[in-house]
């Protein structure tokens, strides 16, 4: 039995007074002092690096719920209070006062840009939006009915085969160019994945449009007629991109960091992040919310559905609810709830049955003892799916859009890791629970 003494700093105080914790291995007289590493805000963390060398035991934390894998200056979340900060700025203020590209600059560089810096950044991104013409032909190799996330994973991974001139991960200029290329090209790659799936011609990016407008243009325009992007929809898209831009050390970001820790090139790392994001417990949830709402079909079916969700044997979850870190309303969900109404008004959608169903579900779930006692609140995906559907974006593109936004966070986190001199290869350990040492029986002995 091990005993960890109460840390010298109060987890929630934010004071982070330096101190230490002591881990004692009962019955051996051995103990190790674990220095507490303070953060700017939030709980300190116990540095456990000496536990194995000094006590000969590993720590066990499946799902990494209580383990800090890295130091980071990019994003801070207080899940109990429902707070999300990027470089210290609250997400609500960023969503209100900034464009997605300003937030991207902030995540990458640590500060918001001044006018000259923004103009240079904007031009840099705009000048990289086209993709290599040979990469364009790569699409033809996919089945027409492939999921766009499969296409994204493949095409982004293939970027490493096309942009050899920015692959030296130890060269800061190469890292900078790769970051630009990724942020600039993922919307083109994503929009073309969609165009490919519906058999329409690819639309080349337009440098006179904003990041969000250009994405909507490449998704929705056709060469046969002019396409005007609605400012309300462009703003909604920009906001959705901001709200998905980064989220601390989540599964896909940790995947990017783990891949990057081996020295893999940034395009390969982001492709790994996209694959990780695809799952329904992570970025695939917005698509799953829509499927769930369609399955429920009518508010009268909600009680039966909620009963299934509560039944431990059913494996049914209320998609768009719950979060590993937020044990309160997801602040991004609050912002999107507002955006959702703006978009529906702009589009003249008064009675959207799915929205009515979602609102009814939200009402019930936020009052039901099962959800309240487990602190399961609506998360960002609950509303983003409804907005995107209202904007005419097909369900299969929802997670793709998340990937477009999160590329900024992934590449910022990757860059931060590459600039960290203490960075080493990620290599978790395990509790081995398999067979003990045994001899291989001969084929005859195996019968
Ligand atoms: N519906 C019903 N019950 C739930 C749900 C849900 N959505 N989420 C968690 N629970 C229950 C779970 O069954 C468990 O109950 P009990 O204590 O009785 O066994 C308790 O709540 C704790 O759940 P957990 O599985 O330990 O929580 P977790 O932190 O491992 O999972 C989660 C977090 C996001 C995977 C989970 O809440 C979930 O599957 N939600 C639905 C999918 C979803 O909306 N994902 C998007 C997350 S936000 C976007 C992103 O960051 O990618």
């Amino acid at each position: 039995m091990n005993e960890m003494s109460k840390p010298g700093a109060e987890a929630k105080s934010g004071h982070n007074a330096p101190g230490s914790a002591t881990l004692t291995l009962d019955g051996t007289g051995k103990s190790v002092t674990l220095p507490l590493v303070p953060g700017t805000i939030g709980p300190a963390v116990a540095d456990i690096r000496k536990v194995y060398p000094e006590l000969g035991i590993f720590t066990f934390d499946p799902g990494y719920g209580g383990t800090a894998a890295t130091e980071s200056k990019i994003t801070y979340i207080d899940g109990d209070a429902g707070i999300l900060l990027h470089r210290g700025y609250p997400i609500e203020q960023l969503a209100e006062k900034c464009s997605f590209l300003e937030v991207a600059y902030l995540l990458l560089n640590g500060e918001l840009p001044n006018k000259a810096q923004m103009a240079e950044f904007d031009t840099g991104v705009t000048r990289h939006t086209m993709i290599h013409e040979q990469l364009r032909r790569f699409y033809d190799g996919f089945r027409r009915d492939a999921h766009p996330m499969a296409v994204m994973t493949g095409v982004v991974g293939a970027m490493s085969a096309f942009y050899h001139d920015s692959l030296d991960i130890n060269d800061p200029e190469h890292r900078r160019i790769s970051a630009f290329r990724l942020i600039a090209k993922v919307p083109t790659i994503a929009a073309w994945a969609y165009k490919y799936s519906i058999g329409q011609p690819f639309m080349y990016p337009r440098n006179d449009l904003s990041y969000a407008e250009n994405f909507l243009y490449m998704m929705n325009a056709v060469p046969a007629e002019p396409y005007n992007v609605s400012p309300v929809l462009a703003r909604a898209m920009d906001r959705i991109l901001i709200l998905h831009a980064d989220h601390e050390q989540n599964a896909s970001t940790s995947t990017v960091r783990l891949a990057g820790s081996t020295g893999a090139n940034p395009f390969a790392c982001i492709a790994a992040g996209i694959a990780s994001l695809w799952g329904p417990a992570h970025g695939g949830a917005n698509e799953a919310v829509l499927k769930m709402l369609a399955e429920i079909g009518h508010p009268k079916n909600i009680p039966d559905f909620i009963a299934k969700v509560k039944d431990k044997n059913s494996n049914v979850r209320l998609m768009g609810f719950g979060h590993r870190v937020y044990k309160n309303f997801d602040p991004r969900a609050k912002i999107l709830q507002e955006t959702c109404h703006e978009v529906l008004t702009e589009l003249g959608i008064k009675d959207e049955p799915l929205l009515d169903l979602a609102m009814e579900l939200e009402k019930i779930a936020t009052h039901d003892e099962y959800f309240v006692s487990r602190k399961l609140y609506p998360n960002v995906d609950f509303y983003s799916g409804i907005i995107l559907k209202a904007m005419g974006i097909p369900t299969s593109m929802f997670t793709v859009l998340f990937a477009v936004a999160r590329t900024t966070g992934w590449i910022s986190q990757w860059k931060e890791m590459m600039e960290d001199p203490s960075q080493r290869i990620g290599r978790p350990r395990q509790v081995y629970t398999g067979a003990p040492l045994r001899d291989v029986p001969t084929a005859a002995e195996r019968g």
Side-chain angles (χ1 to χ4, degrees):
M1 272 243 289
N2 310 316
E3 178 210 309
M4 177 127 30
S5 70
K6 195 171 166 33
E10 282 294 318
K12 293 287 153 202
S13 72
H15 293 308
N16 285 330
S20 62
T22 306
L23 182 64
T24 305
L25 196 57
D26 288 354
T28 64
K30 284 202 228 167
S31 67
V32 61
T33 301
L34 311 176
L36 291 188
V37 182
T40 322
I41 36 176
V45 302
D47 181 341
I48 58 167
R49 278 175 287 187
K50 290 212 174 110
V51 171
Y52 178 65
E54 297 198 7
L55 299 186
I57 57 168
F58 291 126
T59 53
F60 184 50
D61 185 17
Y64 313 113
T67 298
T70 183
E71 283 185 16
S72 180
K73 293 183 168 57
I74 300 176
T75 293
Y76 173 77
I77 302 174
D78 181 336
D80 292 330
I83 290 172
L84 168 61
L85 311 177
H86 292 317
R87 303 284 190 183
Y89 296 120
I91 190 66
E92 294 83 355
Q93 292 183 26
L94 291 171
E96 195 195 321
K97 297 182 180 172
C98 299
S99 70
F100 173 69
L101 275 192
E102 285 173 305
V103 174
Y105 183 99
L106 173 72
L107 293 172
L108 265 175
N109 301 301
E111 294 299 337
L112 283 166
N114 61 27
K115 274 200 192 112
Q117 289 164 332
M118 191 55 212
E120 193 190 338
F121 186 69
D122 200 319
T123 310
V125 169
T126 306
R127 283 206 342 242
H128 285 97
T129 48
M130 288 199 297
I131 60 176
H132 197 291
E133 201 58 15
Q134 243 178 300
L135 194 53
R136 183 187 193 284
R137 281 183 229 128
F138 204 79
Y139 284 81
D140 294 336
F142 288 99
R143 271 176 62 138
R144 192 62 82 182
D145 57 356
H147 194 288
M149 279 300 273
V151 178
M152 283 290 284
T153 319
V155 179
V156 172
M159 285 174 81
S160 358
F162 285 86
Y163 300 105
H164 293 147
D165 59 340
S166 64
L167 290 185
D168 181 356
I169 56 166
N170 298 315
D171 181 333
E173 186 55 14
H174 279 215
R175 295 201 293 264
R176 197 185 68 82
I177 293 174
S178 290
F180 268 102
R181 283 185 165 148
L182 277 156
I183 295 171
K185 291 180 204 304
V186 281
T188 313
I189 293 172
W192 287 11
Y194 172 55
K195 287 294 194 192
Y196 182 74
S197 72
I198 56 170
Q200 283 188 3
F202 294 161
M203 297 301 289
Y204 284 89
R206 267 181 46 190
N207 290 359
D208 60 320
L209 299 177
S210 74
Y211 194 85
E213 284 171 337
N214 187 40
F215 184 45
L216 285 171
Y217 165 80
M218 288 188 291
M219 289 263 301
N220 297 325
V222 288
E225 54 192 49
Y227 175 78
N228 292 321
V229 187
S230 141
V232 173
L233 298 192
R235 179 70 193 132
M237 176 58 72
D238 199 68
R239 199 168 260 189
I240 288 175
L241 294 173
I242 293 173
L243 296 179
H244 288 85
D246 191 55
H247 212 227
E248 210 223 53
Q249 307 309 318
N250 54 81
S252 57
T253 302
S254 298
T255 303
V256 169
R257 279 187 178 259
L258 197 55
S261 77
T262 69
N265 75 66
F267 303 112
C269 296
I270 302 304
I274 294 171
S276 170
L277 185 74
W278 196 355
H282 192 7
N286 48 17
E287 189 175 340
V289 168
L290 261 282
K291 280 195 187 132
M292 174 189 78
L293 292 177
E295 243 171 70
I296 299 174
H298 192 277
K300 74 175 180 351
N301 300 326
I302 293 179
D304 278 355
F305 181 76
I306 295 280
K308 256 195 263 167
V309 166
K310 292 180 185 174
D311 176 2
K312 288 279 162 223
N313 300 317
S314 76
N315 267 335
V316 176
R317 286 203 160 187
L318 184 54
M319 300 313 283
F321 266 70
H323 198 275
R324 169 59 61 81
V325 180
Y326 292 119
K327 301 303 170 197
N328 200 324
F329 222 98
D330 179 338
R332 302 167 301 170
K334 268 193 199 158
I335 301 169
L336 278 191
Q337 198 181 24
E338 261 175 52
T339 308
C340 192
H341 290 290
E342 275 170 32
V343 167
L344 295 177
T345 309
E346 161 74 7
L347 295 170
I349 301 174
K350 289 210 179 65
D351 296 309
E352 165 59 60
L354 284 186
L355 183 68
D356 295 345
L357 197 55
M359 295 302 128
E360 191 59 26
L361 256 186
E362 186 205 79
K363 215 178 342 167
I364 293 172
T366 49
H367 290 89
D368 188 301
E369 195 278 333
Y370 175 94
F371 298 95
V372 173
S373 65
R374 288 170 179 77
K375 300 186 175 167
L376 301 170
Y377 291 86
N379 60 47
V380 68
D381 292 316
F382 191 68
Y383 297 102
S384 64
I386 300 163
I387 299 176
L388 295 174
K389 176 159 171 49
M391 287 170 79
I393 294 176
T395 326
S396 64
M397 283 299 288
F398 290 4
T399 315
V400 173
L401 216 135
F402 193 156
V404 168
R406 187 56 60 84
T407 294
T408 300
W410 289 329
I411 200 64
S412 304
Q413 299 264 355
W414 174 83
K415 183 171 162 280
E416 180 180 66
M417 183 184 73
M418 297 312 295
E419 289 165 2
D420 177 357
S422 67
Q423 188 284 116
R424 52 202 296 243
I425 187 168
R427 177 57 170 93
R429 302 306 299 247
Q430 62 169 15
V431 187
Y432 176 68
T433 54
L437 177 67
R438 50 189 174 154
D439 291 321
V440 178
T442 62
E445 284 167 335
R446 279 177 269 150

